[in-house]
Amino acid sequence: MPGHSVNAKQTKKAIKHIKKLDQLIQEHDVIYLLTDSRESRWLPSMLSTYHNKICINSALGFDSFVVMRHGPSPNSSCNYNEPKNNNLSTYLDNYHSSHRVGCYFCNDVVAPRDSLANRTLDQQCTVTRPGVSYIAGALAVEIMVSLLNHPLGLYAPPPNYNMSFNNNNNNDDDDDLGVESIFGIIPHQIRGHLSNFNNSVILGHAYEKCTACSKIIIDEYHERKEEFVLKACNEPKYLEDLSGLTKMKEEADNAFEAVDFWSDEDFENENSLDDF
């Protein structure tokens, strides 16, 4: 896991475990991520994207949850050989540049790190209301069933993806791909809150600087395999540097420093000088 260093004595065993996890993901059709810590989800998230597998992530809070499906590999293509209308052809041709849904890490601007050190047992585990895990688990299974029964499978569009092909004209026909699931919509994310018993269906696109599913990360794993994973574990800043997050944050800091901020006092002083 990123942030959990692997020393020389542990390297051989760690490589064995990485290869085993890679093999297991290759051999299975659907991957569920149900672990406690954020960093423990990174490697299976990245491997699922690399092998273009359906990956469904479920995370719990005390009275809230998120269930989401990850998008396909940025290096993949949809093998849909049935007749296509113009909208479907355009959707698939532009999928990776415009419509690929994001993974669990796409909204983060920091790489996963050690979130367990110096924490008590109750802080390391999530205490939840009694029904949260059952609700989240049921929704995760339903998303899987819907994906497996959709003609586009992993590439199935979420609701409200807003293709708007015809000059951004909001016409219902613009989003008609001519294919659908027999079970209705397939959300990208479902965020639930038991405090008000409300569920929200949310769409989040893949981030080009994501530390788990971006093209540069997938390509680096393809080239270096276990060496890449070990470096991610031993060097907390490595994933941010590789993905471009470090450069992005530096550019944001520089832009912030270049902005001139005015206070009411500065404005009043300028006006007083104009009187002379």
Side-chain angles (χ1 to χ4, degrees), residues 210-275:
C210 176
T211 57
C213 76
S214 62
K215 180 174 173 56
I216 192 170
I217 296 293
I218 300 304
D219 290 346
E220 189 72 6
Y221 177 74
H222 179 74
E223 292 295 326
R224 301 176 59 195
K225 294 295 175 71
E226 296 82 17
E227 180 186 353
F228 161 71
V229 177
L230 290 175
K231 189 169 184 178
C233 293
N234 290 327
E235 300 180 21
K237 291 281 291 178
Y238 172 61
L239 291 175
E240 292 184 14
D241 294 342
L242 178 63
S243 65
L245 284 178
T246 299
K247 183 179 179 181
M248 182 271 292
K249 289 188 282 189
E250 289 174 352
E251 291 173 347
D253 290 340
N254 293 336
F256 183 81
E257 292 175 358
V259 175
D260 290 329
F261 292 96
W262 287 61
S263 66
D264 291 340
E265 182 179 349
D266 293 330
F267 184 75
E268 292 172 358
N269 290 338
E270 181 178 346
N271 287 339
S272 64
L273 291 174
D274 291 341
D275 295 336

Side-chain angles (χ1 to χ4, degrees), residues 45-46 49 55 57 68-71 100-108 188-189 204-207 210-214:
S45 292
M46 187 272 293
T49 303
C55 181
N57 198 330
M68 66 184 298
R69 57 179 170 111
H70 292 188
R100 188 166 72 96
V101 297
C103 77
Y104 184 69
F105 297 92
C106 278
N107 288 333
D108 295 336
H188 173 224
Q189 300 180 41
H205 292 294
Y207 183 37
C210 176
T211 57
C213 76
S214 62

Side-chain angles (χ1 to χ4, degrees), residues 87-246:
N87 282 355
L88 179 56
S89 296
T90 304
Y91 170 78
L92 293 177
D93 290 344
N94 296 279
Y95 183 82
H96 290 299
S97 61
S98 306
H99 304 301
R100 188 166 72 96
V101 297
C103 77
Y104 184 69
F105 297 92
C106 278
N107 288 333
D108 295 336
V109 293
V110 293
R113 301 181 183 181
D114 184 1
S115 64
L116 303 177
N118 302 318
R119 292 193 176 188
T120 60
L121 183 61
D122 64 305
Q123 291 175 320
Q124 294 179 31
C125 300
T126 303
V127 179
T128 70
R129 287 176 57 167
V132 172
S133 62
Y134 296 96
I135 297 170
L139 290 172
V141 171
E142 289 298 332
I143 288 178
M144 176 200 72
V145 171
S146 296
L147 278 175
L148 293 177
N149 284 277
H150 194 285
L152 299 180
L154 188 56
Y155 298 81
N160 303 320
Y161 59 100
N162 294 327
M163 293 176 63
S164 301
F165 293 135
N166 299 327
N167 299 320
N168 294 321
N169 184 15
N170 293 325
N171 188 320
D172 289 341
D173 292 337
D174 293 346
D175 292 345
D176 182 13
L177 302 181
V179 293
E180 59 184 13
S181 171
I182 60 174
F183 295 114
I185 69 168
I186 310 178
H188 173 224
Q189 300 180 41
I190 303 173
R191 293 182 178 268
H193 304 274
L194 267 68
S195 58
N196 56 8
F197 288 88
N198 179 55
N199 288 345
S200 301
V201 174
I202 298 173
L203 167 60
H205 292 294
Y207 183 37
E208 63 179 3
K209 294 179 174 60
C210 176
T211 57
C213 76
S214 62
K215 180 174 173 56
I216 192 170
I217 296 293
I218 300 304
D219 290 346
E220 189 72 6
Y221 177 74
H222 179 74
E223 292 295 326
R224 301 176 59 195
K225 294 295 175 71
E226 296 82 17
E227 180 186 353
F228 161 71
V229 177
L230 290 175
K231 189 169 184 178
C233 293
N234 290 327
E235 300 180 21
K237 291 281 291 178
Y238 172 61
L239 291 175
E240 292 184 14
D241 294 342
L242 178 63
S243 65
L245 284 178
T246 299

